[in-house]
Amino acid sequence: MKYLLDLILLLPLLIVFSIESLVKLFIPKKKKSVAGEIVLITGAGHGIGRLTAYEFAKLNTKLVLWDINKRGVEETADKCRKLGAVVHVFVVDCSNRAEIYNSVDQVKREVGDVEIVVNNAGAIYPADLLSAKDEEITKTFEVNILGHFWIIKALLPSMLRRNSGHIVTVASVCGHGVIPYLIPYCSSKFAAVGFHRALTAELDTLGKTGIKTSCLCPVFVNTGFTKNPSTRLWPVLEPEEVARSLINGILTNKKMIFVPSYINISLILEKFLPERALKAISRIQNIQFEAIVGHKTKMK
């Protein structure tokens, strides 16, 4: 009887919360200030990471830029300094746990406690499962999800003490839906989305509501990591657009940042459509990119 009463009392709350959420969609959200805050961005030597660093540089933050590519990350740093930011550069392999821990310790000593972290570094090896090399599969998971664990474990204690900070997980629409010839990548991005959601829930349970979380989920982005991508129903995004959407999401404390935003609607519809309908949509979508299939490079 008690459970039935709880369910009856829950119903009006669900209605009120749903209406409140709908109303908020039409109310512009106030953007927070991040001036003076220490921002760590991984994978900052190229693509989304580089453009995100430029956007943060315009906001008077103190930047800590990580990348395995020394030349690339230094080029990003030079542009950020011209934009007026204080920048610290570290060459870090985000697949190496010991290197991550050592680099975080060095950042704490030389720069201070990180207040915003953008886990952007990523790896992708388009291929069918049998053509995918074991070391490529391992590297995909080490960079795309395990690196997130080591970085956050190292940075979280200071955030918990202050009950403030912002943790950003760069995932993908592939963390919500699947694409053939990207099995390791999709699997790692599903894990990244799960990491974001579970961490968000855990921080809420701990009462650390001052620590914000965001997860970026774009469709294909024209960064060169995926060669010659094309689709019929989705746009192929430019990294500048994705970086602007990410910054806006961070400044408004948005939990899930889909780019373009309407992708969220299509993902919801997929949960209700029958399998044959989804296959028909996939044929119309006609996603293509260069991938190793049967040990040969093909457009798939």
Side-chain angles (χ1 to χ4, degrees):
M1 187 66 184
K2 181 179 180 300
Y3 296 127
L4 179 60
L5 181 60
D6 287 341
L7 288 174
I8 292 173
L9 293 175
L10 179 62
L11 184 59
L13 289 177
L14 294 177
I15 295 172
V16 170
F17 294 155
S18 297
I19 294 173
E20 179 187 51
S21 180
L22 183 62
V23 170
K24 284 182 177 179
L25 290 175
F26 302 96
I27 300 175
K29 292 185 177 180
K30 183 179 178 181
K31 294 183 179 181
K32 65 184 179 182
S33 172
V34 294
E37 295 192 3
I38 298 173
V39 181
L40 190 158
I41 303 172
T42 69
H46 179 78
I48 296 172
R50 170 174 285 182
L51 273 298
T52 300
Y54 293 167
E55 293 297 321
F56 269 117
K58 298 172 188 175
L59 298 173
N60 299 315
T61 58
K62 184 181 293 186
L63 291 172
V64 177
L65 305 181
W66 284 14
D67 202 286
I68 195 172
N69 183 333
K70 185 175 188 292
R71 180 177 177 181
V73 72
E74 287 181 344
E75 288 175 353
T76 302
D78 288 343
K79 177 65 179 293
C80 289
R81 291 186 182 106
K82 290 177 181 177
L83 291 170
V86 175
V87 186
H88 300 264
V89 172
F90 295 80
V91 178
V92 184
D93 180 355
C94 287
S95 70
N96 187 313
R97 179 175 55 184
E99 199 167 314
I100 287 171
Y101 285 160
N102 290 336
S103 297
V104 169
D105 287 342
Q106 188 178 354
V107 169
K108 289 178 179 178
R109 291 194 306 270
E110 298 179 6
V111 188
D113 288 331
V114 171
E115 290 147 305
I116 301 173
V117 56
V118 181
N119 276 316
N120 166 73
I124 184 170
Y125 303 94
D128 68 274
L129 182 59
L130 295 182
S131 298
K133 298 176 182 178
D134 290 358
E135 57 269 26
E136 292 174 344
I137 295 172
T138 301
K139 178 69 73 172
T140 299
F141 279 87
E142 285 175 340
V143 176
N144 292 0
I145 182 59
L146 291 179
H148 293 214
F149 276 87
W150 316 141
I151 291 169
I152 300 309
K153 284 193 71 178
L155 295 176
L156 190 58
S158 64
M159 292 185 179
L160 290 173
R161 285 195 300 271
R162 302 190 312 269
N163 189 24
S164 69
H166 203 131
I167 297 169
V168 182
T169 301
V170 175
S172 166
V173 72
C174 291
H176 300 268
V178 297
I179 298 177
Y181 310 115
L182 290 177
I183 292 177
Y185 182 77
C186 290
S187 301
S188 68
K189 292 302 184 180
F190 264 83
V193 171
F195 175 85
H196 158 75
R197 294 182 63 186
L199 177 62
T200 301
E202 184 163 294
L203 291 171
D204 185 62
T205 300
L206 291 171
K208 299 298 181 178
T209 54
I211 304 175
K212 307 302 180 182
T213 59
S214 297
C215 184
L216 175 69
C217 295
V219 297
F220 282 124
V221 185
N222 186 24
T223 60
F225 283 133
T226 305
K227 304 296 183 183
N228 299 315
S230 66
T231 70
R232 287 181 177 173
L233 302 180
W234 299 342
V236 175
L237 304 169
E238 293 301 321
E240 291 85 356
E241 177 186 356
V242 178
R244 287 193 297 269
S245 296
L246 175 57
I247 290 293
N248 183 68
I250 293 171
L251 296 181
T252 56
N253 295 322
K254 192 172 184 179
K255 288 286 192 297
M256 193 67 70
I257 307 165
F258 288 101
V259 189
S261 57
Y262 63 76
I263 290 296
N264 187 29
I265 299 173
S266 66
L267 292 173
I268 293 172
L269 290 176
E270 283 184 6
K271 298 181 183 300
F272 300 97
L273 293 175
E275 184 177 352
R276 291 178 65 186
L278 294 177
K279 287 183 178 180
I281 292 173
S282 179
R283 285 194 296 271
I284 295 172
Q285 173 73 301
N286 192 30
I287 296 174
Q288 295 194 28
F289 51 90
E290 288 187 17
I292 304 297
V293 182
H295 309 290
K296 294 181 181 180
T297 302
K298 297 180 181 180
M299 286 293 295
K300 289 294 179 183

